[in-house]
Amino acid sequence: MSESRQRSARTEWIQRFKQSEAYYLAAPVIGILALFLLGGAYAPSILTLPSIISLLSMAAILLCACMGQEMVMLIGGIDLSITPFLVLGAAWGGALSGGTTLGVLRSLLIVGSLSAVLGFISGITIVGLRIPAMVATLSVGRLVSSTYLAVTGGKPSGNLAPILKTIGTGSLFGIRYLLLIAIFLTVAMYFVLNKTRFGKSLFLIGTNLNAAELAGVKVARIRVLVYVAAALCSMLSGYLMVGFVGSIQNDMAAQYTMYSIAAVVVGGTSITGGRGTFTGSALGAVFIILLSNILSIVEMAEGYKMFIQGAVLMTILVLYSREKKLKQ
Amino acid sequence: MKKKSFRIQEGSALIALFLLIACIIVGGCSIDYFFASRYWINIFKNYTPVILITLSFAIAQIGGACDISVGAVASLVNVVIIFGFAEMGLPPWVCIIMGVTTGIVCGMLKGLIVTKLRLNALISTFAFSWLAQGLAMILIPNSEKFNAIMFVTKFYGKRIGGIPMSAFFVVFGLLIWFVYSNTRNGMQLYAVGQDKRRAYFTGIDCDKQQMIAFTLGGVYSALAGVALTGLLASGQSTYGDPLTTQAIASSAIGGVSLLGGSGNLFGAALGALLVGLMSQLVLGLVKTASMQPIVTHGMVLMCIVLPSAIQTIIRYRRKSYE
């Protein structure tokens, strides 16, 4: 009797743990620790402080893009236009700035409003015309990247403003600006998602659209707004990236759409919407960047790198995001 | 609810047909050699892989599972065929059988992942595409190009009674769908795609139907891989994956709903052909090279948006009458 009660208490504890936030944060944390151990065993230089800081600042770029993806995924959509907007921000941010701080602000205004309009177009397509998010963002993204290629002629040019370089590589009291930005963004997103009306309504929309509508949430307006915000986040992360890399290349962010999805999913956000934390996604971003960095350090061929990334993602999915059985 | 979604799907497939006719008229008026058989043979030769990849995407989509690894799997098949020939020195037929088997096995694996492991189809096939792409790049790194099998290239370029062999690939694929969709399994697939839960309660074996759909999707990917081998005359590991995005857009144009359970593969093939013809027309008509992709992608976006826009306008007008 007492044994069975004990067992039921234990299973209850496990159940509660499985529903808690910590359960979903555990995956990226354990993953990061495991990667550090494995990577450290191969190349101890990974474990030194400078390399960890540089890793975290690289993750900050992905984290900025992940903010948009997180919001979109919370309402049950998906954004496949991260890379085009990121490249747009990186390339035109550099080209239009003319190398001055004032120019950067001006280009931020121009490119920002352009991205907002384009994000608005994909939002309207999804919400007003009921096109699935995947198709709409994909098509808008392809349009953006081809336009960008046509305008730059495949060879982006322009002077990089010193301020972007400072943000990308400089540091304040020994802490990288990018790291500060990452911390700021994570805290800000935490507040937006958990403390504001807007953030809370995202969860409601993701859980049940009709219920949200009936509860008085302005569903259409918020959904469009989320896609605009996603476009802006990717664009901003382009500015961070161009500062970090220091030059503009066409294929600099080819993997970022996929990385952002992987990071958000690893961080425990449900792909069907309604559940997730940005803290998880931030850890997920660190995990993904760490994985790709370690695979680069090991000097693995591109094929093996991709295969291992796929296998790791699949493992995490199998462990974490199995759906419930139909038969219960 | 069901009737409404059916109407939307039918309308958009019709619009794909209408747009295709419009494209043919525009092409006929502006390009002299448009109705020459060479032009069409060329179109079929170039776009058969995309059409087959679209079919592969669409059949899983009808079953309610979004499979974004179709292009990567097609590339893997292509690479396996060329690798077997050039590296292992196997006879061409064995290579092709090996490649086709790879495609089908990939389809079955995806089916198992989605049904037995119960993972979300979109994200798990996305992981699967990394696996397939990675495997292809391990076999043939992108910087290297292996010898072609002239046998396959010749076979692919052949014509039977003036009709290019590549068109037969598509016809063969559609024939499979025609037979399958008229069986009980095909009917049940639609039910699974519309609402898996309800289908389950009606007594349909959902896992089995999705498994069949994924396996057939694997067959289409394998066909696409063979077609790619014929078209490229080499093994290129990164050629297929970008085609997936085109396949998604094409099948949306062709009336296969991304919500699952509506549309058919004829519409999807039509959509893919429309996108192919459009990009070919743009190549001929727009002279500035840098403008070509913008025009193509803009037109694809318009094609996707158009049916829904018309539907929305009709709905609003009806509402205002009532």
Side-chain angles (χ1 to χ4, degrees):
Chain A
M1 184 64 196
S2 71
E3 197 184 320
S4 77
R5 193 184 294 157
Q6 211 171 21
R7 193 182 296 152
S8 76
R10 193 192 292 158
T11 51
E12 195 186 313
W13 182 80
I14 289 174
Q15 286 295 325
R16 204 179 295 161
F17 175 66
K18 275 194 164 181
Q19 282 162 2
S20 71
E21 227 168 70
Y23 176 69
Y24 291 103
L25 291 183
V29 168
I30 294 171
I32 290 168
L33 290 179
L35 279 181
F36 266 125
L37 282 179
L38 282 176
Y42 181 84
S45 63
I46 292 176
L47 295 173
T48 56
L49 195 62
S51 95
I52 290 176
I53 286 177
S54 118
L55 170 89
L56 288 177
S57 36
M58 270 179 85
I61 301 165
L62 182 59
L63 186 135
C64 187
C66 275
M67 282 193 337
Q69 189 70 266
E70 168 81 27
M71 284 192 276
V72 171
M73 278 209 179
L74 276 181
I75 61 166
I78 192 167
D79 185 2
L80 294 182
S81 59
I82 299 276
T83 304
F85 281 112
L86 203 157
V87 174
L88 192 76
W92 283 4
L96 293 174
S97 69
T100 58
T101 311
L102 197 68
V104 168
L105 289 175
R106 199 180 54 204
S107 80
L108 205 58
L109 205 66
I110 298 171
V111 181
S113 40
L114 187 67
S115 313
V117 168
L118 288 165
F120 184 73
I121 289 174
S122 50
I124 284 288
T125 322
I126 293 158
V127 177
L129 299 177
R130 301 185 187 182
I131 307 276
M134 202 167 83
V135 178
T137 51
L138 196 71
S139 318
V140 171
R142 283 190 356 166
L143 196 61
V144 171
S145 59
S146 57
T147 311
Y148 146 78
L149 271 181
V151 172
T152 55
K155 288 189 215 104
S157 60
N159 295 330
L160 192 61
I163 184 164
L164 285 179
K165 215 170 225 171
T166 316
I167 290 174
T169 51
S171 54
L172 186 74
F173 308 125
I175 306 170
R176 291 272 197 116
Y177 280 118
L178 277 177
L179 192 56
L180 290 175
I181 291 174
I183 292 166
F184 170 73
L185 288 179
T186 312
V187 173
M189 267 302 272
Y190 178 82
F191 273 102
V192 168
L193 288 183
N194 294 308
K195 304 289 175 203
T196 65
R197 209 187 162 105
F198 170 76
K200 283 183 178 175
S201 58
L202 294 187
F203 289 93
L204 189 52
I205 292 172
T207 315
N208 192 333
L209 212 113
N210 295 330
E213 182 84 57
L214 292 175
V217 176
K218 293 195 170 64
V219 174
R221 192 181 296 176
I222 288 179
R223 282 175 76 199
V224 174
L225 200 62
V226 163
Y227 286 98
V228 174
L232 286 175
C233 288
S234 325
M235 189 263 318
L236 278 177
S237 76
Y239 274 84
L240 296 184
M241 180 175 246
V242 77
F244 182 76
V245 178
S247 65
I248 304 157
Q249 285 128 25
N250 279 329
D251 57 345
M252 61 203 298
Q255 293 286 349
Y256 268 61
T257 305
M258 293 315 180
Y259 278 175
S260 71
I261 296 173
V264 170
V265 169
V266 167
T269 301
S270 156
I271 190 143
T272 46
R275 194 201 68 219
T277 56
F278 187 67
T279 326
S281 303
L283 289 170
V286 175
F287 174 75
I288 294 289
I289 292 291
L290 180 60
L291 180 63
S292 109
N293 268 15
I294 286 178
L295 292 177
S296 302
I297 290 171
V298 180
E299 282 179 358
M300 220 163 239
E302 198 63 31
Y304 287 100
K305 208 172 148 179
M306 214 147 184
F307 190 82
I308 290 175
Q309 281 173 343
V312 168
L313 184 58
M314 196 68 105
T315 315
I316 289 176
L317 287 176
V318 170
L319 290 177
Y320 267 88
S321 69
R322 294 183 67 179
E323 283 160 13
K324 277 183 192 144
K325 265 188 185 170
L326 281 172
K327 190 169 81 179
Q328 277 158 348
Chain B
M1 201 60 200
K2 195 179 161 193
K3 205 172 176 186
K4 198 167 143 193
S5 70
F6 178 69
R7 205 190 288 150
I8 288 172
Q9 164 263 320
E10 196 183 45
S12 62
L14 280 178
I15 281 176
L17 188 63
F18 173 74
L19 288 171
L20 193 66
I21 293 168
C23 271
I24 290 174
I25 292 171
V26 170
C29 294
S30 52
I31 298 175
D32 316 329
Y33 47 87
F34 186 75
F35 291 110
S37 63
R38 275 186 70 100
Y39 192 78
W40 285 89
I41 286 171
N42 207 15
I43 283 189
F44 267 105
K45 196 179 162 190
N46 287 336
Y47 292 105
T48 293
V50 187
I51 295 175
L52 287 167
I53 288 173
T54 309
L55 295 186
S56 177
F57 175 80
I59 195 165
Q61 189 57 64
I62 288 171
C66 186
D67 180 0
I68 56 171
S69 66
V70 282
V73 172
S75 247
L76 179 63
V77 171
N78 165 23
V79 163
V80 165
I81 291 174
I82 294 289
F83 186 81
F85 182 75
E87 199 79 330
M88 292 158 70
L90 297 171
W93 274 115
V94 179
C95 298
I96 289 176
I97 291 170
M98 219 162 72
V100 171
T101 319
T102 312
I104 296 172
V105 167
C106 281
M108 288 165 101
L109 275 178
K110 281 184 281 185
L112 283 178
I113 288 168
V114 171
T115 57
K116 293 291 171 238
L117 288 178
R118 301 193 304 276
L119 297 185
N120 180 291
L122 175 67
I123 195 79
S124 64
T125 54
F126 154 55
F128 194 86
S129 78
W130 276 359
L131 290 176
Q133 176 88 63
L135 205 58
M137 281 159 81
I138 291 169
L139 289 179
I140 299 184
N142 202 31
S143 48
E144 293 174 44
K145 279 186 186 169
F146 280 69
N147 297 341
I149 311 181
M150 282 325 283
F151 172 70
V152 180
T153 314
K154 263 185 194 157
F155 176 73
Y156 186 69
K158 226 184 222 171
R159 279 176 238 168
I160 300 174
I163 301 167
M165 190 43 122
S166 44
F168 281 108
F169 273 71
V170 178
V171 171
F172 178 62
L174 289 177
L175 208 63
I176 297 178
W177 165 254
F178 181 72
V179 173
Y180 169 67
S181 64
N182 282 307
T183 62
R184 179 182 299 190
N185 287 331
M187 298 288 191
Q188 292 187 349
L189 183 67
Y190 277 92
V192 174
Q194 287 218 336
D195 194 327
K196 200 173 174 183
R197 204 173 175 77
R198 272 184 219 164
Y200 179 80
F201 287 136
T202 354
I204 293 172
D205 189 348
C206 296
D207 287 0
K208 183 183 150 202
Q209 302 311 334
Q210 284 198 321
M211 205 52 212
I212 294 175
F214 269 108
T215 312
L216 281 178
V219 172
Y220 289 137
S221 287
L223 280 176
V226 176
L228 271 182
T229 315
L231 173 70
L232 300 173
S234 65
Q236 292 183 23
S237 43
T238 50
Y239 189 85
D241 200 29
L243 296 183
T244 310
T245 56
Q246 198 171 334
I248 296 171
S250 303
S251 71
I253 291 173
V256 177
S257 159
L258 261 96
L259 303 172
S262 66
N264 58 47
L265 291 209
F266 300 111
L270 213 61
L273 189 62
L274 172 68
V275 172
L277 186 61
M278 258 177 1
S279 30
Q280 198 71 20
L281 275 180
V282 168
L283 287 186
L285 294 178
V286 180
K287 290 288 175 275
T288 344
S290 59
M291 282 301 285
Q292 284 166 355
I294 303 182
V295 178
T296 315
H297 292 153
M299 277 164 73
V300 168
L301 182 62
M302 288 305 292
C303 288
I304 292 171
V305 167
L306 200 62
S308 304
I310 292 172
Q311 285 285 330
T312 314
I313 292 167
I314 290 173
R315 205 163 47 228
Y316 274 115
R317 291 184 79 175
R318 270 207 200 116
K319 240 184 210 167
S320 62
Y321 282 137
E322 274 162 10

